[in-house]
Amino acid sequence: MSHDHDHGHASAGGARQPADHRRRLAIAFGLTTTVLVAQAVGALVTGSLALLVDTAHMLTDAAGLAMALVAAHLSLKPATSRWTWGYRRAEVLGALAQAAVLLAVGGYVLVEGVRRLAEPPEVPSTELVVFGVIGLVANVIAMAVLAGGRSASFNLRAAFLEVLNDALGSVGVIVAAVVIATTGWQQADAVAGLLIGALIVPRAIRLLRETGAVLLESTPAGLDLDAVREHLLGVEHVRAVHDLHASLVATGLPVVTAHVTVDDECFSDGHTARILDQLQECLSTHFPISVEHSTFQIEPASHRTHERLGHA
């Protein structure tokens, strides 16, 4: 027996519709693309590693924001009999792709920065400041646009992190320009590039790890399955809980499935429907993460002998 409560705002497949963040992403994408063109010109004019790296970073960010925009559009498509969760996981795939690209860019920055420390090119500081300020202003605006939705999905979080890294990169470019102008120390450009790379890599690794965990269907962070099992066993007439699984389809959509063994007489005295309601309410209200989409197979004790494979 399985059961799924109607919690409102759900698609045909029973999943709550995600919020629409396409406008935020479109504004951020437009700003990033504009600055990308400006900084590409600046990198050619100045020959700055910091500006070149920031330009390459902005290129990946523009591509990442484009992917995020596409993913946000796909995630709003309704569920069908073929795609039972719709395209909700598109936001996870988009964030994973962005993280992988960020990691590649960060690795390149670190290698090139070390090389330029030994052989620093001449970099004009005035032009560097101008292009750095242009990038910083645009990135701050994009951050303000994305800030309100950054915790709503992996997709928005990845986009916000990219724009934040761009803003920090622009700060690095400006600082490098000031140091070169006041001291003549040309290695400041390479140092700024290395600092940008050092900011990119840890965030990319963290995002890769989190999105990878979702794709591998690990238990959602904050949900203790041992505690879930113990609490389900506390429901009257429940004798055992097995085949207990939990995963995260996309941001805000945790799912839990389980086989629940109950007293045999529950199938004749009408208790099963009440037990099912109690199990559903337990998962949706008792734990820090509200699991509104849960499926239970309620079975008599004798059914366990018919199952060919035993699971925890």
Side-chain angles (χ1 to χ4, degrees), residues 72-238:
H73 176 73
L74 289 175
S75 69
L76 292 171
K77 294 178 72 68
T80 66
S81 58
R82 178 176 174 82
W83 301 94
T84 56
W85 292 111
Y87 293 83
R88 292 292 298 273
R89 192 154 277 187
E91 57 115 332
V92 181
L93 295 174
L96 181 68
Q98 292 175 63
V101 172
L102 277 174
L103 189 60
V105 170
Y108 166 77
V109 169
L110 296 178
V111 172
E112 182 65 13
V114 170
R115 188 187 72 81
R116 290 206 180 191
L117 277 175
E119 301 176 7
E122 290 289 328
V123 177
S125 58
T126 303
E127 290 87 341
L128 203 56
V129 169
V130 171
F131 289 109
V133 169
I134 291 173
L136 180 60
V137 171
N139 284 318
V140 168
I141 295 172
M143 284 171 58
V145 171
L146 293 173
R150 68 180 185 276
S151 61
S153 74
F154 283 115
N155 204 25
L156 264 293
R157 183 180 172 190
F160 181 82
L161 285 177
E162 288 184 336
V163 175
L164 173 61
N165 282 330
D166 279 336
L168 294 173
S170 297
V171 171
V173 169
I174 295 170
V175 171
V178 171
V179 171
I180 292 171
T182 56
T183 69
W185 190 53
Q186 293 292 331
Q187 282 91 341
D189 180 59
V191 171
L194 287 169
L195 289 175
I196 296 170
L199 290 169
I200 293 172
V201 172
R203 288 175 170 83
I205 292 175
R206 190 181 310 119
L207 192 58
L208 275 174
R209 186 168 60 244
E210 292 177 358
T211 52
V214 173
L215 294 176
L216 290 172
E217 299 196 347
S218 65
T219 301
L223 189 65
D224 184 342
L225 276 195
D226 291 331
V228 169
R229 186 192 305 274
E230 182 180 354
H231 205 262
L232 294 179
L233 285 171
V235 175
E236 188 179 4
H237 299 294
V238 172

